[in-house]
Amino acid sequence: MRTIFWDEDEKCIKLIDQTKLPDKLEVLCCKNVETLADAIKRLAIRGAPALEAAGAYGVALACFERDFLDVEDFKKHVEIRAKQLASTRPTAVNLFYGIDRVLKIILNAKDVDEAKNLALKEAEKIAEEDIMRNKAMGKHGARLLKDGDVVLTYCNTGRLATVDWGTALGVIRSAVEEGKKISVVACETRPLNQGSRLTCWELMQDNIDVTLITDSMAGYVMRKKKIDCVIVGADRIVKDAVFNKIGTYSIAILAKEHGIPFYVAAPSTTFDWNKCEEDVVVEERSREELIYCNIKCMKTLIAPENVRVYNPAFDATPLKYVSAFITEKGIIRPPYSENVKKILEI
Ligand code: MRU
């Protein structure tokens, strides 16, 4: 099943509710942008490429929310909804890419019916492109993996973080599909545990060998020579840093210290190459995510209730720690200031 798709019969977006995993595999139906925006904020749908599709489908969904007086009323409504979607999460650039691409189609359409039709087609195209990019990335990236390799990964970069297949986990899937035996070490990824809840779940669904460790064990397992390479995804890649789930920077430094290659697998739509680290807003999330052991029921405290909390959701890893980028257009090695533009043609 795809992580997110359009249900034509019910005229709604359906998505796997990732807050329920690994307990339950439940599909959430978003009949309006309000429900989708809430799902994005709660991380029911998450991961940069999945957010790209969510943004695109969300703008298309806005076209079906009510009847319109005229084309102006329609376009005004869609623009308001696009802004609402764009305000959900600030860091992953893919969300804005998906929103802007569909919005542009709508604003150029001559009437409401044409706009609805083209918006949905464009959103479907964006979702299809994501899968194709992930498969291409997988093929390129699989060349970096040898039979028997142990790969450490962080957060969730698989089917659930994309429309299907995955970025970093997509590379692992492709290598396994080619017949290589690959073992994965998954960090749990505090505070929301995308690694333990989602990465372990989806790899086990596919019978890919996975071992769960806490985030603080990464250095120890690298020192014990148990890791052949690290592969992570990204939420935004700028000309001097990779933004990814908080904790990625520490893993990158550990990998360099231990002489382990650190690869970032990301589609071209994650590159925001004209920007630099200082331009990017890092999302800060609620204190409850740190002080309760289960954010859903907010009952069991694991910290004093009134402790001061700092909870940034992402960090920035300087490019000197990145051994190579794995993209759908090929592997990009340093110097990035030359090679990213050359290979991605941006
Ligand atoms: O807060 P999240 O779960 O949306 O963060 C996701 C990540 O940081 C992923 O590593 C990133 O989006 C790459 S996904 C293919």
Side-chain angles (χ1 to χ4, degrees), residues 18 43 45-51 89 92 94 134 154-158 161-162 166-169 189 192 194 198 232-236 243-246 248 265-267 270 283 285 313-314:
Q18 299 185 33
L43 271 56
I45 177 126
R46 43 141 306 276
L51 291 177
R89 300 192 72 192
N94 307 59
N134 294 336
Y154 199 71
C155 196
N156 172 264
T157 61
T162 60
T167 57
L169 290 196
T189 320
L192 292 181
Q194 289 92 330
L198 308 176
V232 297
D235 291 85
R236 191 186 296 229
F243 285 83
N244 192 48
K245 180 55 53 196
I246 189 78
T248 303
T270 302
E283 176 183 8
R285 295 188 59 87
F314 301 96

Side-chain angles (χ1 to χ4, degrees), residues 92-161:
V93 70
N94 307 59
L95 172 67
F96 310 110
Y97 173 84
I99 293 170
D100 291 346
R101 221 171 111 176
V102 177
L103 184 62
K104 198 167 146 203
I105 296 275
I106 292 172
L107 297 181
N108 286 329
K110 60 178 186 315
D111 58 46
V112 175
D113 284 341
E114 183 191 73
K116 282 182 177 173
N117 185 20
L118 293 180
L120 255 184
K121 276 200 181 130
E122 190 71 2
E124 295 283 19
K125 195 163 166 247
I126 288 170
E128 289 296 332
E129 283 173 8
D130 177 55
I131 301 172
M132 282 182 333
R133 280 192 302 256
N134 294 336
K135 292 273 173 120
M137 220 183 300
K139 271 214 169 91
H140 291 301
R143 295 200 325 256
L144 299 169
L145 299 180
K146 301 182 304 301
D147 189 37
D149 271 357
V150 180
V151 181
L152 184 138
T153 192
Y154 199 71
C155 196
N156 172 264
T157 61
R159 294 189 195 284
L160 293 164

Side-chain angles (χ1 to χ4, degrees), residues 137 139-144 263 323-333 339 343:
M137 220 183 300
K139 271 214 169 91
H140 291 301
R143 295 200 325 256
L144 299 169
Y263 300 122
S323 311
F325 288 110
I326 303 165
T327 75
E328 78 275 20
K329 300 201 175 163
I331 309 282
I332 311 178
R333 300 262 181 199
N339 293 344
I343 293 178

Side-chain angles (χ1 to χ4, degrees), residues 41-91:
K41 284 185 201 157
R42 293 188 296 111
L43 271 56
I45 177 126
R46 43 141 306 276
L51 291 177
E52 180 176 311
Y57 279 125
V59 176
L61 176 66
C63 302
F64 298 88
E65 280 191 313
R66 62 169 171 84
D67 293 329
F68 301 98
L69 299 172
D70 51 34
V71 74
E72 285 319 306
D73 177 39
F74 167 73
K75 287 182 180 175
K76 211 166 124 192
H77 173 78
V78 174
E79 278 186 295
I80 291 170
R81 290 304 196 219
K83 277 200 185 119
Q84 184 180 358
L85 287 166
S87 69
T88 50
R89 300 192 72 192
T91 309

